[in-house]
Amino acid sequence: MLHAGKLYLVPTPIGNLEDITLRALRILKEVDYILAEDTRQTGKLLAHYQISNTLKPFHAHNEHKTIQHIIEDLKSGKTIAQVSDAGTPGISDPGFLLARACQENEIQIDCLPGPTAFVPALVKSGFPCDEFSFIGFLPEKKGRQTALKSLAVETRTCILYESPHRLLKTLQQLLEFLGEDRPLSVSRELTKLFEETVNGTCKSVLEYFTNKPIKGEFVIVIGHQK
Ligand code: SAM
């Protein structure tokens, strides 16, 4: 039996506050409550659009504990929106466990189309986007070498997320495992004032970011060996 409640997965801007759909704004207004990764961060977005609704915390540290209660609310007919701090929930962010629980409990889910960082980085790179592999964050320790080795033999365009304090280490390891001539495109601060995309090879992109302050958020796109 399909339940009356519904979960809405709502993408939010990755920088530029204009990047939110009319439908997303309406859903955020209309649902019974909003699950937010960081209620303060989402509170600022809601204030910007003069939306008042109840925010409840839903993040990596409490998602296991709270899912059963959320499922009960949905079964009782409530409508709930889930947002992450930025971009699409479930994409390197909480979302998957709740979506899976809804599928298992025959609860309807709408995932609204909207902002996510990897699509603009991929499309801007100029690398083939007919087939690609989204990796997200590389494992920090266990499994990192294995992941780097599989990138070395990957023939599709690959996409990584990276934080500013690990960017140089990752670029150095990409050079080591993939070779200095492998095509690379690094996009930082997408949709923001200092948006920048650096295209080149593992060697030239590493040189570009060496010895300069590394600020912002980064997407690394790896082309395949020519
Ligand atoms: N859910 C988000 C999405 O749909 O893209 C991703 C969240 S993940 C925790 C955060 C990572 O996404 C950052 O470390 C960075 O790699 C990437 N990212 C998010 N916003 C970005 C931006 N404006 N420019 C470049 N990369 C960004």
PDB file of all heavy atoms in Angstrom, residues 14-15 84 86-89 91-93 115-118 137 160-163 187-192 217-219, ligand 1:
ATOM      1  N   ILE A  14      24.583  25.965  -4.532  1.00  0.00           N
ATOM      2  CA  ILE A  14      25.962  25.626  -4.139  1.00  0.00           C
ATOM      3  C   ILE A  14      26.798  26.907  -4.004  1.00  0.00           C
ATOM      4  O   ILE A  14      28.019  26.850  -3.938  1.00  0.00           O
ATOM      5  CB  ILE A  14      26.633  24.639  -5.125  1.00  0.00           C
ATOM      6  CG1 ILE A  14      26.639  25.181  -6.556  1.00  0.00           C
ATOM      7  CG2 ILE A  14      25.948  23.280  -5.065  1.00  0.00           C
ATOM      8  CD1 ILE A  14      27.574  24.432  -7.498  1.00  0.00           C
ATOM      9  N   GLY A  15      26.174  28.035  -3.970  1.00  0.00           N
ATOM     10  CA  GLY A  15      26.900  29.304  -3.826  1.00  0.00           C
ATOM     11  C   GLY A  15      25.964  30.463  -4.139  1.00  0.00           C
ATOM     12  O   GLY A  15      25.616  31.248  -3.262  1.00  0.00           O
ATOM     13  N   SER A  84      20.320  19.364   2.113  1.00  0.00           N
ATOM     14  CA  SER A  84      21.658  19.326   2.714  1.00  0.00           C
ATOM     15  C   SER A  84      22.160  20.773   2.759  1.00  0.00           C
ATOM     16  O   SER A  84      21.428  21.698   2.408  1.00  0.00           O
ATOM     17  CB  SER A  84      22.587  18.413   1.919  1.00  0.00           C
ATOM     18  OG  SER A  84      22.740  18.892   0.613  1.00  0.00           O
ATOM     19  N   ALA A  86      24.269  22.235   0.876  1.00  0.00           N
ATOM     20  CA  ALA A  86      24.358  22.789  -0.476  1.00  0.00           C
ATOM     21  C   ALA A  86      24.250  21.655  -1.485  1.00  0.00           C
ATOM     22  O   ALA A  86      24.747  20.556  -1.243  1.00  0.00           O
ATOM     23  CB  ALA A  86      25.703  23.506  -0.668  1.00  0.00           C
ATOM     24  N   GLY A  87      23.607  21.938  -2.601  1.00  0.00           N
ATOM     25  CA  GLY A  87      23.514  20.951  -3.673  1.00  0.00           C
ATOM     26  C   GLY A  87      22.405  19.943  -3.435  1.00  0.00           C
ATOM     27  O   GLY A  87      21.431  20.206  -2.707  1.00  0.00           O
ATOM     28  N   THR A  88      22.574  18.789  -4.024  1.00  0.00           N
ATOM     29  CA  THR A  88      21.525  17.762  -4.010  1.00  0.00           C
ATOM     30  C   THR A  88      21.746  16.789  -2.848  1.00  0.00           C
ATOM     31  O   THR A  88      22.845  16.246  -2.720  1.00  0.00           O
ATOM     32  CB  THR A  88      21.521  17.017  -5.363  1.00  0.00           C
ATOM     33  OG1 THR A  88      21.253  17.972  -6.399  1.00  0.00           O
ATOM     34  CG2 THR A  88      20.463  15.933  -5.403  1.00  0.00           C
ATOM     35  N   PRO A  89      20.721  16.575  -2.014  1.00  0.00           N
ATOM     36  CA  PRO A  89      20.874  15.595  -0.932  1.00  0.00           C
ATOM     37  C   PRO A  89      21.246  14.232  -1.509  1.00  0.00           C
ATOM     38  O   PRO A  89      20.808  13.868  -2.607  1.00  0.00           O
ATOM     39  CB  PRO A  89      19.476  15.540  -0.304  1.00  0.00           C
ATOM     40  CG  PRO A  89      18.793  16.791  -0.722  1.00  0.00           C
ATOM     41  CD  PRO A  89      19.372  17.163  -2.048  1.00  0.00           C
ATOM     42  N   ILE A  91      24.072  13.299  -2.661  1.00  0.00           N
ATOM     43  CA  ILE A  91      25.291  13.379  -3.468  1.00  0.00           C
ATOM     44  C   ILE A  91      26.415  13.848  -2.546  1.00  0.00           C
ATOM     45  O   ILE A  91      26.507  15.034  -2.211  1.00  0.00           O
ATOM     46  CB  ILE A  91      25.128  14.349  -4.678  1.00  0.00           C
ATOM     47  CG1 ILE A  91      23.966  13.905  -5.573  1.00  0.00           C
ATOM     48  CG2 ILE A  91      26.421  14.449  -5.484  1.00  0.00           C
ATOM     49  CD1 ILE A  91      24.134  12.538  -6.234  1.00  0.00           C
ATOM     50  N   SER A  92      27.220  12.900  -2.062  1.00  0.00           N
ATOM     51  CA  SER A  92      28.258  13.153  -1.056  1.00  0.00           C
ATOM     52  C   SER A  92      27.673  13.899   0.149  1.00  0.00           C
ATOM     53  O   SER A  92      28.339  14.757   0.748  1.00  0.00           O
ATOM     54  CB  SER A  92      29.446  13.933  -1.648  1.00  0.00           C
ATOM     55  OG  SER A  92      30.081  13.178  -2.638  1.00  0.00           O
ATOM     56  N   ASP A  93      26.466  13.611   0.482  1.00  0.00           N
ATOM     57  CA  ASP A  93      25.731  14.246   1.582  1.00  0.00           C
ATOM     58  C   ASP A  93      24.690  13.254   2.094  1.00  0.00           C
ATOM     59  O   ASP A  93      24.325  12.321   1.361  1.00  0.00           O
ATOM     60  CB  ASP A  93      24.973  15.482   1.047  1.00  0.00           C
ATOM     61  CG  ASP A  93      25.744  16.768   1.272  1.00  0.00           C
ATOM     62  OD1 ASP A  93      26.628  16.787   2.126  1.00  0.00           O
ATOM     63  OD2 ASP A  93      25.436  17.755   0.582  1.00  0.00           O
ATOM     64  N   PRO A 115      20.545  22.247  -8.259  1.00  0.00           N
ATOM     65  CA  PRO A 115      21.996  22.393  -8.196  1.00  0.00           C
ATOM     66  C   PRO A 115      22.726  21.178  -7.651  1.00  0.00           C
ATOM     67  O   PRO A 115      22.257  20.521  -6.715  1.00  0.00           O
ATOM     68  CB  PRO A 115      22.198  23.576  -7.233  1.00  0.00           C
ATOM     69  CG  PRO A 115      20.903  24.254  -7.135  1.00  0.00           C
ATOM     70  CD  PRO A 115      19.838  23.263  -7.462  1.00  0.00           C
ATOM     71  N   THR A 116      23.871  20.909  -8.248  1.00  0.00           N
ATOM     72  CA  THR A 116      24.830  19.937  -7.741  1.00  0.00           C
ATOM     73  C   THR A 116      26.162  20.352  -8.353  1.00  0.00           C
ATOM     74  O   THR A 116      26.196  20.825  -9.488  1.00  0.00           O
ATOM     75  CB  THR A 116      24.423  18.490  -8.098  1.00  0.00           C
ATOM     76  OG1 THR A 116      25.264  17.597  -7.393  1.00  0.00           O
ATOM     77  CG2 THR A 116      24.476  18.191  -9.569  1.00  0.00           C
ATOM     78  N   ALA A 117      27.256  20.197  -7.606  1.00  0.00           N
ATOM     79  CA  ALA A 117      28.529  20.786  -8.070  1.00  0.00           C
ATOM     80  C   ALA A 117      29.150  20.023  -9.239  1.00  0.00           C
ATOM     81  O   ALA A 117      29.840  20.617 -10.071  1.00  0.00           O
ATOM     82  CB  ALA A 117      29.517  20.864  -6.902  1.00  0.00           C
ATOM     83  N   PHE A 118      28.911  18.706  -9.315  1.00  0.00           N
ATOM     84  CA  PHE A 118      29.697  17.970 -10.306  1.00  0.00           C
ATOM     85  C   PHE A 118      29.239  18.198 -11.743  1.00  0.00           C
ATOM     86  O   PHE A 118      30.054  18.150 -12.665  1.00  0.00           O
ATOM     87  CB  PHE A 118      29.767  16.472  -9.962  1.00  0.00           C
ATOM     88  CG  PHE A 118      28.547  15.652 -10.277  1.00  0.00           C
ATOM     89  CD1 PHE A 118      28.371  15.122 -11.541  1.00  0.00           C
ATOM     90  CD2 PHE A 118      27.596  15.402  -9.304  1.00  0.00           C
ATOM     91  CE1 PHE A 118      27.257  14.346 -11.830  1.00  0.00           C
ATOM     92  CE2 PHE A 118      26.486  14.621  -9.581  1.00  0.00           C
ATOM     93  CZ  PHE A 118      26.310  14.099 -10.850  1.00  0.00           C
ATOM     94  N   PHE A 137      34.264  12.058  -2.811  1.00  0.00           N
ATOM     95  CA  PHE A 137      35.521  12.193  -2.069  1.00  0.00           C
ATOM     96  C   PHE A 137      36.287  10.868  -2.110  1.00  0.00           C
ATOM     97  O   PHE A 137      35.706   9.804  -1.862  1.00  0.00           O
ATOM     98  CB  PHE A 137      35.253  12.550  -0.604  1.00  0.00           C
ATOM     99  CG  PHE A 137      34.676  13.929  -0.424  1.00  0.00           C
ATOM    100  CD1 PHE A 137      33.310  14.111  -0.240  1.00  0.00           C
ATOM    101  CD2 PHE A 137      35.500  15.054  -0.451  1.00  0.00           C
ATOM    102  CE1 PHE A 137      32.770  15.379  -0.077  1.00  0.00           C
ATOM    103  CE2 PHE A 137      34.968  16.327  -0.293  1.00  0.00           C
ATOM    104  CZ  PHE A 137      33.603  16.484  -0.106  1.00  0.00           C
ATOM    105  N   LEU A 160      35.902  13.919  -9.014  1.00  0.00           N
ATOM    106  CA  LEU A 160      36.191  13.838  -7.573  1.00  0.00           C
ATOM    107  C   LEU A 160      35.755  15.129  -6.894  1.00  0.00           C
ATOM    108  O   LEU A 160      35.850  16.203  -7.491  1.00  0.00           O
ATOM    109  CB  LEU A 160      37.699  13.700  -7.323  1.00  0.00           C
ATOM    110  CG  LEU A 160      38.487  12.590  -7.989  1.00  0.00           C
ATOM    111  CD1 LEU A 160      39.957  12.714  -7.591  1.00  0.00           C
ATOM    112  CD2 LEU A 160      37.940  11.241  -7.559  1.00  0.00           C
ATOM    113  N   TYR A 161      35.331  15.033  -5.646  1.00  0.00           N
ATOM    114  CA  TYR A 161      35.148  16.211  -4.807  1.00  0.00           C
ATOM    115  C   TYR A 161      36.381  16.319  -3.911  1.00  0.00           C
ATOM    116  O   TYR A 161      36.945  15.300  -3.496  1.00  0.00           O
ATOM    117  CB  TYR A 161      33.899  16.059  -3.927  1.00  0.00           C
ATOM    118  CG  TYR A 161      32.588  16.370  -4.631  1.00  0.00           C
ATOM    119  CD1 TYR A 161      31.378  16.081  -4.033  1.00  0.00           C
ATOM    120  CD2 TYR A 161      32.569  16.986  -5.879  1.00  0.00           C
ATOM    121  CE1 TYR A 161      30.171  16.383  -4.657  1.00  0.00           C
ATOM    122  CE2 TYR A 161      31.377  17.285  -6.511  1.00  0.00           C
ATOM    123  CZ  TYR A 161      30.178  16.982  -5.900  1.00  0.00           C
ATOM    124  OH  TYR A 161      28.995  17.284  -6.517  1.00  0.00           O
ATOM    125  N   GLU A 162      36.776  17.551  -3.599  1.00  0.00           N
ATOM    126  CA  GLU A 162      37.926  17.705  -2.701  1.00  0.00           C
ATOM    127  C   GLU A 162      37.807  18.977  -1.867  1.00  0.00           C
ATOM    128  O   GLU A 162      37.220  19.971  -2.302  1.00  0.00           O
ATOM    129  CB  GLU A 162      39.233  17.703  -3.518  1.00  0.00           C
ATOM    130  CG  GLU A 162      40.464  17.451  -2.700  1.00  0.00           C
ATOM    131  CD  GLU A 162      40.326  16.274  -1.697  1.00  0.00           C
ATOM    132  OE1 GLU A 162      39.684  16.489  -0.638  1.00  0.00           O
ATOM    133  OE2 GLU A 162      40.845  15.197  -1.957  1.00  0.00           O
ATOM    134  N   SER A 163      38.330  18.892  -0.653  1.00  0.00           N
ATOM    135  CA  SER A 163      38.315  20.061   0.229  1.00  0.00           C
ATOM    136  C   SER A 163      39.620  20.835   0.020  1.00  0.00           C
ATOM    137  O   SER A 163      40.609  20.261  -0.441  1.00  0.00           O
ATOM    138  CB  SER A 163      38.188  19.605   1.680  1.00  0.00           C
ATOM    139  OG  SER A 163      39.363  18.922   2.028  1.00  0.00           O
ATOM    140  N   SER A 187      37.719  22.786 -11.081  1.00  0.00           N
ATOM    141  CA  SER A 187      36.808  23.933 -10.940  1.00  0.00           C
ATOM    142  C   SER A 187      36.694  24.287  -9.475  1.00  0.00           C
ATOM    143  O   SER A 187      36.488  23.408  -8.630  1.00  0.00           O
ATOM    144  CB  SER A 187      35.411  23.596 -11.471  1.00  0.00           C
ATOM    145  OG  SER A 187      35.396  23.665 -12.867  1.00  0.00           O
ATOM    146  N   ARG A 188      36.825  25.572  -9.166  1.00  0.00           N
ATOM    147  CA  ARG A 188      36.654  26.001  -7.773  1.00  0.00           C
ATOM    148  C   ARG A 188      35.593  27.097  -7.684  1.00  0.00           C
ATOM    149  O   ARG A 188      35.364  27.831  -8.642  1.00  0.00           O
ATOM    150  CB  ARG A 188      37.975  26.470  -7.155  1.00  0.00           C
ATOM    151  CG  ARG A 188      38.596  27.703  -7.783  1.00  0.00           C
ATOM    152  CD  ARG A 188      39.879  28.101  -7.084  1.00  0.00           C
ATOM    153  NE  ARG A 188      39.601  28.808  -5.866  1.00  0.00           N
ATOM    154  CZ  ARG A 188      39.480  30.128  -5.782  1.00  0.00           C
ATOM    155  NH1 ARG A 188      39.610  30.882  -6.852  1.00  0.00           N
ATOM    156  NH2 ARG A 188      39.224  30.697  -4.625  1.00  0.00           N
ATOM    157  N   GLU A 189      34.915  27.127  -6.542  1.00  0.00           N
ATOM    158  CA  GLU A 189      33.952  28.190  -6.241  1.00  0.00           C
ATOM    159  C   GLU A 189      32.887  28.352  -7.341  1.00  0.00           C
ATOM    160  O   GLU A 189      32.551  29.467  -7.733  1.00  0.00           O
ATOM    161  CB  GLU A 189      34.702  29.506  -6.008  1.00  0.00           C
ATOM    162  CG  GLU A 189      35.632  29.494  -4.808  1.00  0.00           C
ATOM    163  CD  GLU A 189      34.870  29.417  -3.492  1.00  0.00           C
ATOM    164  OE1 GLU A 189      34.424  28.311  -3.152  1.00  0.00           O
ATOM    165  OE2 GLU A 189      34.712  30.440  -2.838  1.00  0.00           O
ATOM    166  N   LEU A 190      32.381  27.217  -7.823  1.00  0.00           N
ATOM    167  CA  LEU A 190      31.351  27.252  -8.872  1.00  0.00           C
ATOM    168  C   LEU A 190      30.161  28.102  -8.440  1.00  0.00           C
ATOM    169  O   LEU A 190      29.716  28.004  -7.283  1.00  0.00           O
ATOM    170  CB  LEU A 190      30.880  25.826  -9.180  1.00  0.00           C
ATOM    171  CG  LEU A 190      31.898  24.972  -9.948  1.00  0.00           C
ATOM    172  CD1 LEU A 190      31.638  23.488  -9.746  1.00  0.00           C
ATOM    173  CD2 LEU A 190      31.900  25.309 -11.426  1.00  0.00           C
ATOM    174  N   THR A 191      29.679  28.892  -9.339  1.00  0.00           N
ATOM    175  CA  THR A 191      28.525  29.808  -9.180  1.00  0.00           C
ATOM    176  C   THR A 191      28.819  31.001  -8.258  1.00  0.00           C
ATOM    177  O   THR A 191      27.941  31.811  -7.995  1.00  0.00           O
ATOM    178  CB  THR A 191      27.223  29.113  -8.675  1.00  0.00           C
ATOM    179  OG1 THR A 191      27.313  28.892  -7.249  1.00  0.00           O
ATOM    180  CG2 THR A 191      26.927  27.802  -9.380  1.00  0.00           C
ATOM    181  N   LYS A 192      30.072  31.089  -7.738  1.00  0.00           N
ATOM    182  CA  LYS A 192      30.393  32.179  -6.802  1.00  0.00           C
ATOM    183  C   LYS A 192      31.235  33.247  -7.502  1.00  0.00           C
ATOM    184  O   LYS A 192      31.670  33.069  -8.640  1.00  0.00           O
ATOM    185  CB  LYS A 192      31.146  31.629  -5.588  1.00  0.00           C
ATOM    186  CG  LYS A 192      30.380  30.546  -4.831  1.00  0.00           C
ATOM    187  CD  LYS A 192      31.115  30.147  -3.583  1.00  0.00           C
ATOM    188  CE  LYS A 192      30.601  28.833  -3.044  1.00  0.00           C
ATOM    189  NZ  LYS A 192      31.333  28.361  -1.890  1.00  0.00           N
ATOM    190  N   GLU A 217      35.946  25.696  -2.594  1.00  0.00           N
ATOM    191  CA  GLU A 217      35.538  24.298  -2.742  1.00  0.00           C
ATOM    192  C   GLU A 217      35.909  23.847  -4.151  1.00  0.00           C
ATOM    193  O   GLU A 217      35.847  24.641  -5.094  1.00  0.00           O
ATOM    194  CB  GLU A 217      34.031  24.187  -2.547  1.00  0.00           C
ATOM    195  CG  GLU A 217      33.593  24.670  -1.184  1.00  0.00           C
ATOM    196  CD  GLU A 217      32.143  24.312  -0.934  1.00  0.00           C
ATOM    197  OE1 GLU A 217      31.278  25.087  -1.364  1.00  0.00           O
ATOM    198  OE2 GLU A 217      31.899  23.279  -0.333  1.00  0.00           O
ATOM    199  N   PHE A 218      36.267  22.570  -4.273  1.00  0.00           N
ATOM    200  CA  PHE A 218      36.873  22.113  -5.533  1.00  0.00           C
ATOM    201  C   PHE A 218      36.212  20.865  -6.096  1.00  0.00           C
ATOM    202  O   PHE A 218      35.861  19.937  -5.351  1.00  0.00           O
ATOM    203  CB  PHE A 218      38.355  21.784  -5.301  1.00  0.00           C
ATOM    204  CG  PHE A 218      39.176  22.991  -4.947  1.00  0.00           C
ATOM    205  CD1 PHE A 218      39.239  23.430  -3.634  1.00  0.00           C
ATOM    206  CD2 PHE A 218      39.857  23.697  -5.927  1.00  0.00           C
ATOM    207  CE1 PHE A 218      39.987  24.559  -3.293  1.00  0.00           C
ATOM    208  CE2 PHE A 218      40.599  24.821  -5.602  1.00  0.00           C
ATOM    209  CZ  PHE A 218      40.661  25.253  -4.273  1.00  0.00           C
ATOM    210  N   VAL A 219      36.104  20.834  -7.424  1.00  0.00           N
ATOM    211  CA  VAL A 219      35.737  19.610  -8.130  1.00  0.00           C
ATOM    212  C   VAL A 219      36.887  19.306  -9.103  1.00  0.00           C
ATOM    213  O   VAL A 219      37.321  20.190  -9.844  1.00  0.00           O
ATOM    214  CB  VAL A 219      34.419  19.755  -8.921  1.00  0.00           C
ATOM    215  CG1 VAL A 219      34.052  18.425  -9.589  1.00  0.00           C
ATOM    216  CG2 VAL A 219      33.279  20.220  -8.013  1.00  0.00           C
TER     217      VAL A 219
HETATM  218  N1  SAM B   1      25.570  17.714  -2.210  1.00  0.00           N
HETATM  219  C1  SAM B   1      26.589  18.494  -2.880  1.00  0.00           C
HETATM  220  C2  SAM B   1      26.370  18.416  -4.380  1.00  0.00           C
HETATM  221  O1  SAM B   1      25.255  18.075  -4.807  1.00  0.00           O
HETATM  222  O2  SAM B   1      27.285  18.722  -5.149  1.00  0.00           O
HETATM  223  C3  SAM B   1      27.971  18.069  -2.468  1.00  0.00           C
HETATM  224  C4  SAM B   1      28.243  18.198  -0.997  1.00  0.00           C
HETATM  225  S1  SAM B   1      29.864  17.720  -0.540  1.00  0.00           S
HETATM  226  C5  SAM B   1      29.721  17.619   1.199  1.00  0.00           C
HETATM  227  C6  SAM B   1      30.772  19.221  -0.683  1.00  0.00           C
HETATM  228  C7  SAM B   1      31.772  19.170  -1.839  1.00  0.00           C
HETATM  229  O3  SAM B   1      31.092  19.495  -3.059  1.00  0.00           O
HETATM  230  C8  SAM B   1      32.878  20.204  -1.717  1.00  0.00           C
HETATM  231  O4  SAM B   1      33.967  19.730  -0.920  1.00  0.00           O
HETATM  232  C9  SAM B   1      33.300  20.369  -3.166  1.00  0.00           C
HETATM  233  O5  SAM B   1      34.121  19.300  -3.588  1.00  0.00           O
HETATM  234  C10 SAM B   1      31.934  20.268  -3.877  1.00  0.00           C
HETATM  235  N2  SAM B   1      31.334  21.601  -4.030  1.00  0.00           N
HETATM  236  C11 SAM B   1      30.224  22.057  -3.417  1.00  0.00           C
HETATM  237  N3  SAM B   1      29.971  23.330  -3.795  1.00  0.00           N
HETATM  238  C12 SAM B   1      30.938  23.669  -4.674  1.00  0.00           C
HETATM  239  C13 SAM B   1      31.234  24.852  -5.418  1.00  0.00           C
HETATM  240  N4  SAM B   1      30.468  25.933  -5.325  1.00  0.00           N
HETATM  241  N5  SAM B   1      32.320  24.839  -6.240  1.00  0.00           N
HETATM  242  C14 SAM B   1      33.104  23.739  -6.327  1.00  0.00           C
HETATM  243  N6  SAM B   1      32.885  22.610  -5.646  1.00  0.00           N
HETATM  244  C15 SAM B   1      31.817  22.566  -4.830  1.00  0.00           C
END
